[in-house]
Amino acid sequence: MSLIDTRSEQLFPVLTAAQIAVAQRFADGAPKRFQPGEVLVSVGEHHVPAFLVLEGQVMISRHDGAGRQSELVTHGPGQLTGEIAQLAGRPSLVDAHAGSAGCEVLSFDAAHLRALIIGAAELGEIIMRALILRRTAMIADGGVGSIIVGEPGKAAVVRLEGFLRRNGYPYSVLDVHADADGKALVERLRIDQADLPLILCPNGTVLKNPTEVAVGACLGITPDWDADKTFDVAVVGAGPAGLATAVYAASEGLSVVILDAQAYGGQAGASSRIENYLGFPTGISGHALAARAFIQALKFGAEIFIPVEAQALDCGGGDRKPGDLLAVKLAGDRVVRSRAVVIASGARYRRPGIANLDVLEGAGVSYWASPVEAKLCEGEEVALVGAGNSAGQAVVYLASKVKTLHLIVRGRSLEATMSLYLVQRIAALPNVVLHLRTEVTGVIGDAASGLQGLQLIGRDTGETRSCTTRHLFMFIGADPNTGWLAGCPVLLDAKGFVRTGEAIGDAPWPQFGRAPFPLETSVPGVFAIGDVRCGSTKRVAAGVGEGAQVVASLHQFLNPT
């Protein structure tokens, strides 16, 4: 059963007369009248308000990138249109038109909708839950959003699926070989094999073998760009630490922009289930936790740009003075200017120096264990390398879906690097084979055929052997994402992690007349938090804590007494 069947009252609540009166105080204008059949909203339209129905009905219909249309729901008096997109002015995923008798509605643009949710707490909770559940239902039920046309399981299709899923955007996949609609579309548009996969955007645009940047722009995942805007804080990285900074800073009145090259959630977003995060006794997936934080940041007015890659940080040089702006330089010659910058770019799983491993990324080699990858290896033998908590969570998740999982570990035990609850759970899984003191030395396969097997070596015995598998998951080590800081004198440690709380000679500290604030780098106004910071505890809760803590330092920097 779908969410619409099981949670209809929460998806489509009917406000009381008293609640409507409260909401009316936050509307962006007087009630508006629409004639029978008149269009209120079109799919793909930007900056669409939410409408509270006072009289009549508003008919909501959905259609996907292939033009297939169906009625979704009818809103009557006391019901509010919209979903998460309306919090930030993102493109609409549905059409809306007035019912047979017309309608009268109150309009709430993004700013007024956020004001309603924050300013009327009880009513805001009802509305927020409805908006979240509606987006969740769209993702689960399909028939809305974008369509990927290609060969399921191919690297390019998996890449696009992963991007859309991690960013909470609804999509479906048409197989160009097995699906009649997919085959007909390719023939009608005369698509060459090199053009696959296609992305069909809800507004009818067709993208051929696109990059994530092109997809983000077409679907409105990346919002409109205002090159002239200056922010109080630019946060580079939308993992737990960066999102925490955005939530706390924006809720305290600072203007915040978050920049991330891939998706919200960071490495934590790939965790299938986090069971030792405070307040979630039954556990929560990393993606679900990150999605909640992402929506919270939108609720408080933070602007989130995904996917945009930070390529350099202009720190202003040694002559920089208090009040001078910082500039984050992005791909595509774009620049974000802000009074302060928070480095939350995290760390990435290490790519070991194994010949041809990079060729097989997305063709059997993965650094994520999301439902997209799990579906591809269902019922098969897989291998996973790693012994940290992220590796353990992935093992527990994948083991329920695969025939056999070979866990390959360099060390002598799991206990030294993995939480005990995960060690115990893995020990109880009958289809997990543990290979201690073992390393992967080679991969078998190519880009066309995909991964076919592994070459292993025993670290103590030197014995070599092969392992037949089409799926390898890598969860080893962590390299900091600090290459983009090369042009700025931010002090790093020997491994490339950002040092905080230390001034260096060529930074303009004399002009600022103070020592660094907590979590401040060697450059005034540039802070570092989370996994990218030297000495940080590499845990989700620690990252969230630093994200909250740095806001106090930001206030001290932005508002000196």
Side-chain angles (χ1 to χ4, degrees):
M1 298 179 69
S2 69
L3 277 175
I4 293 178
D5 297 319
T6 59
R7 302 181 70 174
S8 179
E9 291 185 0
Q10 291 180 321
L11 274 159
F12 309 114
V14 179
L15 305 188
T16 65
Q19 290 171 328
I20 292 173
V22 170
Q24 189 161 8
R25 300 203 305 267
F26 295 89
D28 59 27
K32 301 176 183 178
R33 185 80 194 178
F34 290 86
Q35 298 304 309
E38 187 175 352
V39 173
L40 281 73
V41 176
S42 297
V43 166
E45 186 178 348
H46 288 246
H47 303 290
V48 171
F51 295 104
L52 176 59
V53 182
L54 301 178
E55 295 179 10
Q57 294 178 326
V58 174
M59 318 292 287
I60 306 296
S61 59
R62 58 186 176 187
H63 71 255
D64 58 27
R68 297 176 296 198
Q69 188 166 353
S70 62
E71 295 297 323
L72 183 60
V73 68
T74 298
H75 290 301
Q79 292 186 304
L80 187 77
T81 70
E83 48 96 30
I84 290 302
Q86 273 58 64
L87 283 175
R90 304 288 172 86
S92 175
L93 293 172
V94 298
D95 294 312
H97 61 274
S100 59
C103 64
E104 185 176 80
V105 298
L106 288 170
S107 175
F108 300 82
D109 62 19
H112 288 81
L113 180 61
R114 293 194 301 265
L116 168 60
I117 291 171
I118 295 170
E122 291 186 11
L123 181 55
E125 181 181 351
I126 295 170
I127 293 171
M128 196 71 181
R129 182 187 297 115
L131 301 183
I132 293 170
L133 287 175
R134 289 174 191 176
R135 173 56 69 96
T136 302
M138 287 177 175
I139 293 172
D141 297 344
V144 68
S146 64
I147 295 179
I148 303 172
V149 182
E151 298 181 54
K154 290 292 185 180
V157 172
V158 172
R159 171 178 59 83
L160 293 175
E161 283 194 81
F163 171 72
L164 294 176
R165 182 191 173 277
R166 290 198 295 272
N167 284 292
Y169 194 91
Y171 72 93
S172 55
V173 179
L174 287 182
D175 189 329
V176 292
H177 300 303
D179 192 292
D181 288 339
K183 288 191 288 186
L185 180 70
V186 168
E187 291 172 1
R188 186 173 74 251
L189 297 178
R190 298 181 180 178
I191 299 298
D192 294 329
Q193 187 69 25
D195 293 330
L196 294 175
L198 306 177
I199 284 278
L200 308 184
C201 302
N203 63 6
T205 302
V206 179
L207 302 179
K208 299 177 181 179
N209 194 15
T211 64
E212 286 91 332
V213 172
V215 173
C218 187
L219 300 180
I221 294 172
T222 310
D224 296 334
W225 191 266
D226 183 356
D228 297 325
K229 187 169 184 177
T230 297
F231 295 89
D232 291 325
V233 185
V235 182
V236 180
L243 289 170
T245 297
V247 168
Y248 286 102
S251 69
E252 294 177 14
L254 298 180
S255 61
V256 182
V257 62
I258 312 176
L259 311 166
D260 198 285
Q262 296 178 326
Y264 60 76
Q267 278 189 336
S271 297
S272 57
R273 183 157 293 274
I274 302 170
E275 297 197 43
N276 58 353
Y277 189 81
L278 187 68
F280 293 89
T282 60
I284 185 171
S285 75
H287 182 263
L289 184 65
R292 295 182 183 195
F294 171 80
I295 294 168
Q296 274 184 299
L298 292 180
K299 167 185 170 181
F300 289 115
E303 297 189 31
I304 303 177
F305 288 85
I306 297 173
V308 294
E309 180 185 1
Q311 294 186 329
L313 176 59
D314 183 351
C315 297
D319 296 330
R320 179 167 163 255
K321 301 179 293 297
D324 289 352
L325 297 178
L326 298 159
V328 181
K329 298 182 178 180
L330 310 176
D333 297 324
R334 294 182 294 186
V335 177
V336 170
R337 291 178 175 81
S338 61
R339 298 169 63 198
V341 170
V342 176
I343 302 168
S345 45
R348 60 186 178 277
Y349 290 116
R350 191 167 296 139
R351 267 67 169 170
I354 299 173
N356 294 325
L357 187 68
D358 58 336
V359 175
L360 293 168
E361 289 186 13
V365 175
S366 302
Y367 296 88
W368 302 83
S370 75
V372 174
E373 290 80 17
K375 184 178 179 181
L376 294 175
C377 63
E378 193 168 3
E380 300 187 23
E381 292 208 9
V382 306
L384 188 147
V385 181
N389 275 4
S390 293
Q393 290 157 357
V395 169
V396 171
Y397 173 63
L398 291 170
S400 64
K401 303 178 184 302
V402 304
K403 178 182 178 182
T404 305
L405 188 149
H406 296 275
L407 177 55
I408 300 168
V409 178
R410 296 177 75 249
R412 298 186 183 280
S413 71
L414 293 176
E415 285 82 356
T417 53
M418 190 180 293
S419 294
L420 182 60
Y421 81 92
L422 287 169
V423 175
Q424 293 173 336
R425 190 160 298 175
I426 290 170
L429 295 171
N431 62 334
V432 174
V433 180
L434 182 59
H435 303 268
L436 297 173
R437 300 291 293 166
T438 303
E439 290 187 48
V440 177
T441 57
V443 290
I444 303 167
D446 54 44
S449 62
L451 180 68
Q452 301 298 315
L454 309 175
Q455 295 169 337
L456 308 176
I457 187 170
R459 300 190 70 201
D460 296 327
T461 65
E463 177 187 356
T464 60
R465 62 186 187 278
S466 61
C467 173
T468 301
T469 181
R470 296 177 57 245
H471 305 280
L472 172 63
F473 295 88
M474 305 290 288
F475 290 84
I476 57 173
D479 292 325
N481 289 314
T482 51
W484 63 284
L485 297 172
C488 179
V490 170
L491 191 62
L492 309 178
D493 71 2
K495 295 182 179 179
F497 291 89
V498 181
R499 293 166 67 171
T500 54
E502 303 176 52
I504 58 176
D506 58 352
W509 287 103
Q511 294 95 308
F512 283 74
R514 62 175 178 81
F517 292 126
L519 301 176
E520 194 169 19
T521 71
S522 55
V523 176
V526 179
F527 301 81
I529 57 173
D531 288 357
V532 75
R533 191 179 70 83
C534 170
S536 66
T537 300
K538 312 308 185 200
R539 290 287 188 272
V540 174
V544 171
E546 290 191 3
Q549 179 187 352
V550 77
V551 175
S553 293
L554 287 169
H555 282 301
Q556 286 181 287
F557 173 75
L558 296 170
N559 303 290
T561 55

